[in-house]
Amino acid sequence: MRTILITGCSSGIGLDAARTLRARGWRVFATCRAAEDAAALAAEGLESWALDLASEASVAEGAAEALGRGGGRLDALFNNGAFAIPGATEDLPRAAMREIFETNLFGQLDLTNRVLPAMRAAGAGRVVMNSSVLGFVALPWRGAYVATKFALEGLTDTLRLELRGTGVHVSTIEPGPIGTPFRAKSVPRFEKWIDWRASPHRDAYETRLMRRLYAPADGPKSRFELPPSAVTAKLVHALESKRPAPRYRVTTATRIMAGLTRALPTRALDAVAARL
């Protein structure tokens, strides 16, 4: 039975991936940042424990647990856990950037490096990074998240080059709008870090960002939005195909933006992005 370690399984993409892969015959180690979320997954029959990407000790323990349960072998890793801190870039405190990079980049790299020796020893493995359309296109109000995903893309591309010939394949998934609680989960971090009332962007916060950020979960959706299963379908290909693609783009919005980055000069692309 093939084994996979997945981070960020409490909801959304990670949860859908864990359930789908288990149904396809994988042995899934579905981890979550919070112990209570891991307990809920364990109650439905998934092998789950707490793994907080922001904690070096938790990453070390989580990797050791996965390798121990797999008898020293791990066939795949899906680095999915991440969060956002909405806000204007000039309003982001240094501590906020440190916090988001610990989870969205440093923890991902640390976890990957802890399982790679087992994959190298087996001469086979799959590492899949969940990036975003914001890993190659910048949009307003998303500076912290954009920074982590741009960095993740560069790191992943380098890792893929360095692992050529080892039997370990590295892929990146770039979702666009996906129907998950991701936006709602970013609200507490916005409230923790962004002093919008003192910002030169205060009017824009009130008229643009906060209306979207605090919109009801059952409100109007983007016409490009897809369910988490759309990401899982690409993940399945990255894990099970004999020749996985280095990059998978999910949603029409992602493919449109990829095309615009190739077709438009920077100023024209800026004009498009400023309206989003």
Side-chain angles (χ1 to χ4, degrees), residues 21-59:
L21 289 173
R22 180 180 62 174
R24 293 180 67 87
W26 285 76
R27 184 180 180 188
V28 178
F29 303 137
T31 66
C32 308
R33 180 185 59 82
E36 57 268 27
D37 291 330
L41 294 188
E44 68 170 78
L46 286 162
E47 293 185 66
S48 184
W49 61 89
L51 194 163
D52 183 355
L53 289 166
S55 165
E56 188 172 350
S58 181
V59 169

Side-chain angles (χ1 to χ4, degrees), residues 167-183:
V168 180
H169 297 275
V170 181
S171 298
T172 304
I173 298 178
E174 295 168 335
I178 301 294
T180 74
F182 188 79
R183 173 176 55 82

Side-chain angles (χ1 to χ4, degrees), residues 215-268:
D218 58 354
K221 304 292 190 297
S222 165
R223 65 182 182 275
F224 296 119
E225 183 176 291
L226 294 178
S229 57
V231 179
T232 302
K234 301 297 186 182
L235 174 63
V236 168
H237 189 277
L239 296 175
E240 299 182 0
S241 171
K242 291 184 178 179
R243 196 165 184 264
R247 185 166 277 103
Y248 296 87
R249 289 178 171 148
V250 187
T251 77
T252 300
T254 305
R255 291 187 285 273
I256 289 174
M257 293 308 295
L260 292 178
T261 61
R262 294 190 297 269
L264 296 180
T266 300
R267 290 185 188 278

Side-chain angles (χ1 to χ4, degrees), residues 23 31 40 48 72 97 99 116 119 129-130 134 137 143 155 157-159 174 178 207 237-238 244 246 267 271 274:
T31 66
S48 184
M97 294 299 287
E99 180 179 86
L116 275 177
M119 293 182 180
M129 302 291 198
N130 198 21
L134 298 178
V137 174
L155 201 65
D157 285 349
T158 305
L159 183 65
E174 295 168 335
I178 301 294
T207 59
H237 189 277
R267 290 185 188 278

Side-chain angles (χ1 to χ4, degrees), residues 64 98 111 124 144 146 155 236:
R98 184 179 296 113
L111 182 59
V146 164
L155 201 65
V236 168

Side-chain angles (χ1 to χ4, degrees), residues 136-216:
F136 62 90
V137 174
L139 295 181
W141 310 106
R142 300 162 176 87
Y145 188 73
V146 164
T148 63
K149 292 302 184 180
F150 265 64
L152 182 67
E153 294 251 348
L155 201 65
T156 304
D157 285 349
T158 305
L159 183 65
R160 188 180 66 252
L161 292 171
E162 293 170 348
L163 290 175
R164 283 171 62 90
T166 65
V168 180
H169 297 275
V170 181
S171 298
T172 304
I173 298 178
E174 295 168 335
I178 301 294
T180 74
F182 188 79
R183 173 176 55 82
K185 288 186 173 184
S186 71
V187 170
R189 289 187 168 89
F190 169 76
E191 294 174 345
K192 173 182 177 182
W193 291 114
I194 305 300
D195 185 5
W196 63 270
R197 293 178 180 83
S199 171
H201 300 279
R202 176 171 178 164
D203 290 345
Y205 275 112
E206 292 181 304
T207 59
R208 293 183 59 190
L209 176 65
M210 293 171 65
R211 287 185 180 180
R212 180 184 301 174
L213 187 61
Y214 289 95

